[in-house]
Amino acid sequence: MMRVMTSNAVKTRFAPSPTGKLHLGNLRTALFNVLLARRDGGHFLLRIEDSDLARNDASAFDAIAADLRWLGLDWDEGPGIGAPQDWQQSARAEVYTSAADKLLAADAAYWCFCSQQRLAELRAEQTRQGKAPRYDGCCASLPRREADDRRAAGEPAVLRLRMPQSGMLEFNDLVRGQQTVPADALGDPVIQRADGTAAFLFANALDDGLMGVTHVLRGEDHLSNTPRQQVLLRQLGLTAPAYGHLSLVTDEAGAPLSKRSGSAGIAELHAAGYRPEAVLNYLARLGNAGLDEQLHDLDGLARAFEPSRLARSPARFDRSQLDHWQSLAMAQADMASLLPALTADCLPADRRESLVALVQPNIRFAHELNDWAQRLFADELELSADAVAAIRSRDAEFFGQIDQALLEASGEIDWQVWRPRLEALTGCKGGKLMKPLRFALTGLGHGPALGAVINLMVPETRRTRLQRAAAMAGEADDA
Ligand code: GLU
């Protein structure tokens, strides 16, 4: 649903390059931008950064949209809304060319003819001297006319932005606080490639400026781009957004997640049965200690979101934490979202909802409903060695007495009344009654309240299982 954006309201964005599957770190970035927009009643833009045509992967575009939609991270502007020129960089070439022309005309940018070989040698020499590689400004003072002549003669050239040569570049990072970089530490970056396409740094900043983005939360790998992008936007008379840089997310072994590995991709989690609200609640807390322990929807997560409280050190993906949120999400899931997963046909139609309600607190994934359906309704029940041992800890009479008593019960039993009754009848109290009975009926030593299990089961199935248990217990007696 489109929310109304108030004037001077916050606008955040997620700007993936469609070069592969999104990983959980990318999705956390998207989520944090959504939360910031929601918290402040703003808008969220999904911009597809596909200006580097050679690296695009057509299927990645659809996968990105599908992943975000599955998580409920809907966008107010982006694919499916308005014209591609509003959100897709490959449709905006003219915008970039005209801004590049403007910078050139103002002498804020210059043509650079340095060959790849010269640049490689320069980098190698700087590295040898222990310096950080940066462009040395070799072409910065070429007269414009000479540059134009060389281009007209067909010599390839990139366009570079002139960075200030002295002083400090400062900005206040939304996550990391005050940042200061000496201007001369940064070389003049390429803003237009030799083939005329806009370089990432240029298209990315320009679009933020032109699209009215007010806040950008993005990966820390872009931290060093920020001062350059701020200079760029200033030269174009555009307002730069406030930037915040998020720490990396690593895999369980501590290695950075990569788009190529796809190890913890959303599609995999979806297929494994994770619920979107579990993934969202997990991601919202990854490197973010500022939230309580409750399962929240996006608005609830947004209310407590504060970028300055985000961690500055890497956050590690932790499957057990994700599973914790999955269990919480499962316990709170509504019936309608669970029923479609119950595909086993061994239970009567009128008991489907009661089964879901009964076992919901005991399962982590919806497909486990089918295991419970089998366990409580199938003709055959497989018994583990533990089950057999528990059953054989009682005698045939124990199961026979319970079977007989239940046979005489009319309708549902009240376990408060029936438990003491069965204890008196069998002479077995507490675990001595419950454990073998539970194993005999369900094949498991744990599960939902035993009285409720007894009530849910079909009486004939219940009988068959008690009689089988009696026979097994009897066999043990004879042995
Ligand atoms: N397209 C860039 C990326 O995928 C976006 C960087 C940014 O968020 O500014 O890394």
Side-chain angles (χ1 to χ4, degrees):
M1 199 181 61
M2 188 91 156
R3 286 181 303 281
V4 179
M5 186 166 78
T6 49
S7 60
N8 74 27
V10 160
K11 189 196 250 192
T12 65
R13 52 75 167 171
F14 178 52
S17 307
T19 55
K21 285 198 279 189
L22 297 179
H23 56 61
L24 288 182
N26 304 132
L27 286 156
R28 185 188 64 159
T29 301
L31 169 63
F32 285 173
N33 281 290
V34 167
L35 296 183
L36 189 56
R38 287 218 177 201
R39 188 195 72 179
D40 295 346
H43 266 194
F44 172 62
L45 157 74
L46 173 59
R47 184 171 70 228
I48 304 297
E49 299 213 319
D50 58 352
S51 67
D52 190 353
L53 300 173
R55 295 185 62 220
N56 290 339
D57 167 355
S59 64
F61 183 102
D62 294 335
I64 288 169
D67 284 353
L68 293 174
R69 285 209 179 93
W70 182 70
L71 284 172
L73 300 180
D74 297 328
W75 45 95
D76 304 293
E77 298 169 35
I81 305 166
Q85 287 89 315
D86 298 335
W87 47 265
Q88 185 168 19
Q89 290 192 332
S90 59
R92 293 172 57 77
E94 284 168 22
V95 175
Y96 308 133
T97 315
S98 107
D101 290 347
K102 235 189 208 169
L103 290 169
L104 200 54
D107 199 33
Y110 62 89
W111 293 112
C112 167
F113 298 90
C114 291
S115 66
Q116 289 304 323
Q117 189 189 338
R118 174 175 189 276
L119 295 175
E121 285 166 7
L122 177 66
R123 267 195 303 274
E125 177 58 20
Q126 288 169 334
T127 310
R128 204 180 55 74
Q129 293 176 9
K131 295 181 184 159
R134 61 182 277 269
Y135 182 61
D136 60 357
C138 174
C139 294
S141 49
L142 274 184
R144 176 68 194 279
R145 173 170 300 201
E146 186 187 327
D148 287 346
D149 288 347
R150 286 171 70 173
R151 287 190 68 241
E155 202 175 330
V158 299
L159 196 60
R160 286 187 188 270
L161 177 74
R162 273 186 215 286
M163 291 292 290
Q165 293 307 303
S166 59
M168 290 298 200
L169 298 174
E170 295 183 30
F171 72 98
N172 193 9
D173 191 283
L174 294 168
V175 176
R176 282 151 202 270
Q178 193 63 24
Q179 305 288 311
T180 309
V181 198
D184 63 6
L186 303 170
D188 297 340
V190 173
I191 56 174
Q192 186 177 292
R193 302 185 189 96
D195 64 4
T197 58
F200 156 73
L201 176 134
F202 179 45
N204 174 268
L206 183 58
D207 281 349
D208 284 337
L210 293 176
M211 294 175 184
V213 171
T214 60
H215 295 73
V216 168
L217 295 174
R218 61 180 177 182
E220 66 179 358
D221 45 329
H222 293 291
L223 188 60
S224 64
N225 288 328
T226 298
R228 297 178 169 112
Q229 293 186 310
Q230 288 176 316
V231 168
L232 181 74
L233 289 171
R234 207 164 34 243
Q235 296 288 16
L236 287 166
L238 293 168
T239 306
Y243 292 93
H245 291 89
L246 307 170
S247 62
L248 274 185
V249 178
T250 70
D251 65 15
E252 294 191 282
L257 295 181
S258 95
K259 280 188 177 175
R260 274 163 290 278
S261 74
S263 53
I266 285 295
E268 286 79 2
L269 295 180
H270 186 178
Y274 284 92
R275 297 180 64 87
E277 65 271 29
V279 178
L280 283 179
N281 273 270
Y282 172 61
L283 287 180
R285 289 165 174 89
L286 195 51
N288 179 16
L291 294 176
D292 65 18
E293 294 301 310
Q294 312 287 317
L295 189 81
H296 289 290
D297 62 10
L298 278 176
D299 287 328
L301 293 172
R303 269 193 291 280
F305 184 68
E306 174 46 52
S308 63
R309 287 207 298 259
L310 298 176
R312 298 177 188 184
S313 50
R316 190 182 286 238
F317 173 68
D318 179 344
R319 174 81 59 169
S320 65
Q321 277 301 311
L322 173 60
D323 285 349
H324 162 77
W325 290 104
Q326 171 67 13
S327 296
L328 271 189
M330 180 54 67
Q332 295 179 29
D334 59 40
M335 179 68 66
S337 72
L338 294 177
L339 279 171
L342 181 54
T343 50
D345 54 9
C346 55
L347 76 169
D350 64 353
R351 295 190 193 205
R352 289 168 55 83
E353 295 202 1
S354 321
L355 172 78
V356 172
L358 180 65
V359 305
Q360 188 172 354
N362 296 77
I363 58 174
R364 180 172 287 156
F365 297 106
H367 60 76
E368 293 168 40
L369 289 170
N370 296 309
D371 303 336
W372 276 102
Q374 295 289 339
R375 213 165 272 144
L376 302 185
F377 294 94
D379 290 340
E380 297 294 327
L381 177 69
E382 238 178 79
L383 294 178
S384 65
D386 281 353
V388 173
I391 290 168
R392 288 189 169 156
S393 70
R394 301 274 76 85
D395 58 14
E397 198 188 356
F398 171 90
F399 295 106
Q401 286 168 327
I402 296 174
D403 176 34
Q404 205 52 44
L406 288 175
L407 201 58
E408 285 156 19
S410 55
E412 297 214 330
I413 62 163
D414 175 352
W415 191 241
Q416 300 289 80
V417 175
W418 273 77
R419 178 175 162 165
R421 183 178 294 170
L422 293 180
E423 284 177 339
L425 191 66
T426 59
C428 296
K429 280 192 180 313
K432 290 204 165 101
L433 168 75
M434 310 276 275
K435 195 174 162 199
L437 181 54
R438 187 183 277 286
F439 267 116
L441 290 174
T442 71
L444 275 190
H446 56 86
L450 195 52
V453 168
I454 291 172
N455 283 329
L456 181 66
M457 289 179 78
V458 176
E460 293 74 46
T461 315
R462 207 167 63 198
R463 280 214 85 188
T464 313
R465 294 190 180 177
L466 289 172
Q467 287 174 357
R468 178 185 175 200
M472 287 176 78
E475 279 164 23
D477 280 344
D478 297 343

